Amino acid sequence: MRSEAAAQLGGLEMFVSAGKGRGLRARRRFAVGELLFSCPAYVAVLTVSERGSHCDGCFARKEGLSKCGRCKQAFYCNVECQKEDWPMHKLECASMCTFGQNWHPSETVRLTARILAKQKTHPERTQSEKLLAVKEFESHLDKLDNEKRELIQNDIAALHHFYSKHLDYPDNAALVVLFAQVNCNGFTIEDEELSHLGSAIFPDVALMNHSCCPNVIVTYKGTLAEVRAVREIEPGEEIFSSYIDLLYPTEDRNDRLRDSYFFSCDCRECTTKEKDKEKLEICKLNDPPSAETVKDMIRYARNVIEEFRRAKHYKYILCLTLTPLLELLEICELSLDKMGAVFEDSNVYMLHMMYQAMGVCLYVQDWEGALCYGQKIIRPYSKHYPSYSLNVASMWLKLGRLYMALKNRTAGVKALKRAIAIMEVAHGKDHPYISEIKKELEDH
């Protein structure tokens, strides 16, 4: 057990949170927008689709990146970035050369391979593990059902298949534990528009417990995680982040938490369910729909969201051609028509499908279509999400850029400034994303 002095980090301390296990607690007051702490990635992997536009080492977005001379699939800012990343990239470099187009391990497999390599080369604690070590991660192994265990075995098989040269493997039981730990404690790194950039392990950040009323937000500066207050935090108060998208009603949020993290939330939002009525707003009709009709439509909405997720995976990710994309847009439009007979546009299930439709429009460069959906989304988003939400900031940002592209500078400036106001709290005023947006304003 670490000493109390060793379990502290600049005004924060690890403690035992009632009913939650380990947690993080404030030892002093933090103001809104203040940086509580930052944590470099223990390991990180850039998503394959962003190679060439972001550095594989530091995740910086820039033009003119230099490619790895061997595999020609990894790109770097400079020689320094390439050398720093080589101990990790060498796990994949030869394998990518060998498999060519057939090299396709998941990000979870790639991340786990890097953890195994890092644990061998750095058995001591790293700068990412000031409070919590990777080996101390919770695995929830006893809560895994057969389906999750089978998925882990598939990942283990892929690990052996794609990584044979540079890794020393522990036995199967130890690998099951490690994959379970990664599944519960991994982070998704996103850019300013919440587009997926990669996956990473941030041990000290993983110490924070979840709340649907979070008092901090996690953002990223390359492969550095930064944790900032989005509410005033008093000494002795527990630090809570959110593990999930907070748009959805209480039942949906807790279904997601139970499925991915094996617990239900007991925060004020989940106890009172005070936002659920607004989030599930029903059409105001002379003859309002029956409770059973509403229940059936909620069930339909949940099913169509899952169907769209699967369709998106196969058509949008694997086959980025116009016809499948238009089929996805048709799914969105048909579901919106059906749900619109019962739900208001501000209903979160309507918003979900509008957001998906907007994404397809953006991909096929239908700027007017994307703007139309975005305009319907932004006000309900601002109502349903907490203050300083990245989802709201990213929507204002998308709207601002769309307005600018469509030569509506007045609306574009207003939207971009709204995005900046949120991001200056969530990301910090000196974040490169904010500098880029301010330059966009100057250039227009």
Side-chain angles (χ1 to χ4, degrees):
M1 191 71 177
R2 306 190 75 199
S3 69
E4 184 179 347
Q8 296 179 357
L9 177 70
L12 302 164
E13 64 182 356
M14 183 166 64
F15 79 117
V16 178
S17 177
K20 295 180 171 63
R22 293 172 303 210
L24 191 62
R25 180 168 61 190
R27 298 176 63 240
R28 66 171 179 84
R29 184 181 175 279
F30 290 93
V32 172
E34 186 173 353
L35 179 70
L36 276 73
F37 70 102
S38 58
C39 179
Y42 180 82
V43 291
V45 290
L46 185 73
T47 196
V48 171
S49 61
E50 293 299 331
R51 283 189 159 154
S53 59
H54 289 77
C55 174
D56 274 70
C58 70
F59 283 29
R61 177 173 57 203
K62 60 190 298 186
E63 297 178 359
L65 296 169
S66 301
K67 67 175 66 174
C68 171
R70 298 185 185 187
C71 68
K72 304 192 187 314
Q73 294 187 53
F75 292 78
Y76 297 98
C77 297
N78 48 44
V79 174
E80 287 72 26
C81 272
Q82 185 171 10
K83 283 182 177 178
E84 190 171 337
D85 192 50
W86 176 245
M88 295 291 107
H89 177 57
K90 74 178 181 182
L91 297 171
E92 300 179 346
C93 190
S95 181
M96 286 195 288
C97 292
T98 301
F99 286 96
Q101 294 300 312
N102 294 319
W103 187 85
H104 48 72
S106 68
E107 284 183 31
T108 300
V109 171
R110 295 174 62 202
L111 209 54
T112 305
R114 292 186 175 216
I115 291 172
L116 289 169
K118 183 94 172 215
Q119 287 177 338
K120 183 180 178 182
T121 57
H122 293 83
E124 70 285 355
R125 276 185 182 260
T126 66
Q127 284 297 304
S128 310
E129 302 169 287
K130 292 177 179 176
L131 296 180
L132 184 68
V134 171
K135 291 182 178 179
E136 297 169 346
F137 279 173
E138 179 62 69
S139 68
H140 297 290
L141 199 61
D142 59 324
K143 301 184 183 78
L144 297 181
D145 58 24
N146 289 335
E147 182 182 358
K148 286 185 169 59
R149 287 181 180 274
E150 184 178 343
L151 290 172
I152 286 177
Q153 289 300 334
N154 292 340
D155 281 340
I156 291 172
L159 183 72
H160 284 285
H161 181 65
F162 290 109
Y163 295 86
S164 56
K165 187 174 180 182
H166 298 287
L167 280 180
D168 294 327
Y169 298 100
D171 61 27
N172 189 78
L175 284 175
V176 170
V177 171
L178 182 55
F179 272 104
Q181 289 173 321
V182 171
N183 288 336
C184 287
N185 295 279
F187 287 81
T188 295
I189 296 179
E190 297 170 324
D191 68 9
E192 76 278 25
E193 290 193 3
L194 301 188
S195 295
H196 180 74
L197 293 184
S199 300
I201 297 293
F202 298 102
D204 287 342
V205 183
L207 181 59
M208 294 186 293
N209 286 314
H210 165 85
S211 172
C212 299
C213 311
N215 52 16
V216 300
I217 200 162
V218 182
T219 56
Y220 305 98
K221 192 178 287 182
T223 57
L224 181 75
E226 296 186 324
V227 179
R228 284 187 170 79
V230 290
R231 289 195 292 104
E232 288 190 358
I233 300 171
E234 299 298 332
E237 192 176 342
E238 182 165 1
I239 308 302
F240 289 109
S241 65
S242 174
Y243 295 179
I244 57 171
D245 189 337
L246 296 176
L247 178 66
Y248 301 93
T250 304
E251 185 179 344
D252 294 38
R253 294 197 309 274
N254 277 282
D255 282 348
R256 170 71 194 282
L257 289 169
R258 282 189 291 269
D259 182 62
S260 299
Y261 303 102
F262 310 100
F263 70 88
S264 296
C265 183
D266 61 357
C267 73
R268 176 180 51 79
E269 191 77 36
C270 290
T271 303
T272 65
K273 302 183 181 180
E274 63 185 14
K275 286 190 175 182
D276 283 5
K277 186 176 180 180
E278 282 188 338
K279 290 184 175 186
L280 297 173
E281 193 166 0
I282 308 303
C283 288
K284 297 173 180 64
L285 304 171
N286 292 331
D287 185 18
S290 66
E292 192 61 33
T293 299
V294 173
K295 190 175 180 181
D296 287 344
M297 192 57 73
I298 289 173
R299 190 180 302 115
Y300 165 79
R302 289 171 176 165
N303 288 337
V304 80
I305 286 170
E306 179 58 26
E307 285 174 16
F308 186 88
R309 187 192 65 78
R310 288 196 295 267
K312 186 177 178 183
H313 176 74
Y314 290 110
K315 293 179 180 177
Y316 186 48
I317 303 300
L318 301 179
C319 188
L320 289 173
T321 58
L322 185 59
T323 301
L325 287 168
L326 294 179
E327 287 176 8
L328 290 178
L329 190 56
E330 187 177 2
I331 293 173
C332 294
E333 291 169 346
L334 289 172
S335 66
L336 285 167
D337 284 343
K338 182 168 182 176
M339 290 190 293
V342 176
F343 297 153
E344 288 285 356
D345 280 356
S346 60
N347 184 295
V348 296
Y349 298 124
M350 295 286 284
L351 295 172
H352 178 99
M353 296 313 297
M354 288 181 200
Y355 184 82
Q356 300 302 326
M358 183 182 182
V360 177
C361 289
L362 287 170
Y363 197 87
V364 300
Q365 299 185 4
D366 174 8
W367 308 136
E368 288 89 355
L371 180 62
C372 183
Y373 282 116
Q375 288 171 328
K376 291 180 180 179
I377 290 170
I378 187 60
R379 297 300 174 188
Y381 261 31
S382 301
K383 180 172 65 173
H384 295 325
Y385 277 112
S387 302
Y388 309 113
S389 164
L390 296 180
N391 301 79
V392 178
S394 72
M395 186 54 63
W396 278 122
L397 184 54
K398 288 173 182 174
L399 284 171
R401 288 170 170 170
L402 284 167
Y403 282 127
M404 291 297 195
L406 295 169
K407 309 302 182 186
N408 186 345
R409 187 179 186 280
T410 301
V413 168
K414 185 177 179 180
L416 291 177
K417 285 184 175 180
R418 284 180 177 271
I420 290 171
I422 297 171
M423 293 174 68
E424 284 185 335
V425 172
H427 291 77
K429 293 183 178 181
D430 64 343
H431 197 285
Y433 288 156
I434 295 174
S435 301
E436 289 175 12
I437 300 167
K438 287 181 176 178
K439 188 172 188 308
E440 288 177 43
L441 286 169
E442 292 171 4
D443 291 345
H444 285 86

